[in-house]
Amino acid sequence: MIRAYNQLYLAKSSRTVGNMLHDAVYVFHMDGSDFLNRFIQSDAAAQFENGNPKYIGGKSGLELFIEVTEKTSGEKINADIVESFERSDVYWVGWMLTHYQWYSGRTFKNILDTVPFRELLGLYPTFHEADITKSYDMMDEHFKRSESKLKRLRKLCGMTQEALANESGVSLNTIRAYERKSKDINKAQFDNIMKLSKALKCEISDITE
């Protein structure tokens, strides 16, 4: 798998997001779930996903917090730009989330839709001192157990996998692979996505993860 940026930047980028989330929750008393939604809405999350050097290597956690807050609220934040090195439970969530996003290539939104902030926070006692690969395995298991958007929508439409294959022209084996997530639908051929969305009478975003 080709990742968005070199692993050499991972320590800095994960520390930045961890400190951002720690500052949001413990310094500025914001709700962690709400702030991570702001992180995604502000487009800052996409900058990490795309490996923008300005974000993965150039910002402190507090700078990132201020940018996200100002973009999503329109309010100016007055705070000294001082890098924090806290290692709280909330810091760990941001740190691990960034590691897993880099490792998996999934978007922050996709990860948090599957394993919400509160659930991630509950994993801290078990995983915060373990090797990061243990967290990768745990998160992968969550994704394996979660039902894909394609499967949910197909069932809502009252279609079997076979019926969807016949209607769309996408092979049954491919549909099965997308639904069990052994094949990443986000990286599917555009033609397949179009055929499936047309057969299900939905938008492409309704079936991509």
Side-chain angles (χ1 to χ4, degrees):
M1 175 182 174
I2 298 174
R3 296 191 166 94
Y5 54 94
N6 192 290
Q7 190 171 6
L8 293 171
Y9 292 96
L10 184 56
K12 176 65 171 73
S13 62
S14 57
R15 187 168 66 243
T16 296
V17 176
N19 282 326
M20 171 199 74
L21 193 56
H22 171 90
D23 288 344
V25 173
Y26 285 116
V27 178
F28 293 92
H29 310 294
M30 299 176 72
D31 178 81
S33 298
D34 176 67
F35 191 79
L36 284 170
N37 284 333
R38 290 176 178 232
F39 175 56
I40 293 164
Q41 292 164 9
S42 72
D43 199 44
Q47 302 305 317
F48 282 86
E49 292 160 6
N50 296 326
N52 184 333
K54 178 182 174 184
Y55 286 78
I56 64 173
K59 285 184 179 287
S60 73
L62 186 55
E63 286 174 322
L64 187 60
F65 165 79
I66 290 170
E67 178 181 320
V68 168
T69 304
E70 290 183 347
K71 279 186 175 179
T72 55
S73 70
E75 298 175 6
K76 282 288 180 186
I77 303 294
N78 295 315
D80 293 329
I81 306 299
V82 178
E83 179 71 274
S84 170
F85 293 98
E86 294 289 344
R87 297 294 181 266
S88 63
D89 52 352
V90 171
Y91 169 91
W92 178 82
V93 170
W95 178 86
M96 191 277 288
L97 193 56
T98 308
H99 268 268
Y100 187 68
Q101 190 285 314
W102 173 86
Y103 160 80
S104 67
R106 302 179 189 277
T107 64
F108 284 98
K109 183 179 187 308
N110 180 212
I111 297 168
L112 289 164
D113 282 347
T114 303
V115 192
F117 169 75
R118 292 294 171 195
E119 192 169 339
L120 289 173
L121 202 58
L123 298 170
Y124 172 78
T126 304
F127 289 95
H128 78 283
E129 292 183 343
D131 187 278
I132 188 62
T133 57
K134 300 293 185 185
S135 294
Y136 293 165
D137 292 343
M138 172 271 298
M139 294 294 283
D140 283 344
E141 281 302 313
H142 272 274
F143 274 91
K144 286 178 185 175
R145 293 196 302 268
S146 66
E147 199 171 68
S148 69
K149 289 169 72 175
L150 176 62
K151 184 176 182 178
R152 285 199 299 270
L153 189 57
R154 173 181 62 76
K155 284 162 52 173
L156 279 172
C157 292
M159 297 178 76
T160 63
Q161 290 178 326
E162 291 79 3
L164 179 56
N166 290 333
E167 182 71 23
S168 66
V170 177
S171 77
L172 178 59
N173 284 341
T174 297
I175 290 171
R176 284 174 173 162
Y178 289 154
E179 289 197 358
R180 65 174 175 261
K181 301 184 181 181
S182 60
K183 208 171 183 181
D184 189 351
I185 195 168
N186 295 334
K187 297 175 182 174
Q189 293 180 3
F190 184 70
D191 188 46
N192 278 354
I193 298 293
M194 285 297 295
K195 287 177 179 178
L196 289 168
S197 61
K198 185 177 179 181
L200 293 166
K201 298 179 175 57
C202 68
E203 300 294 328
I204 288 175
S205 60
D206 292 331
I207 56 174
T208 51
E209 300 289 336

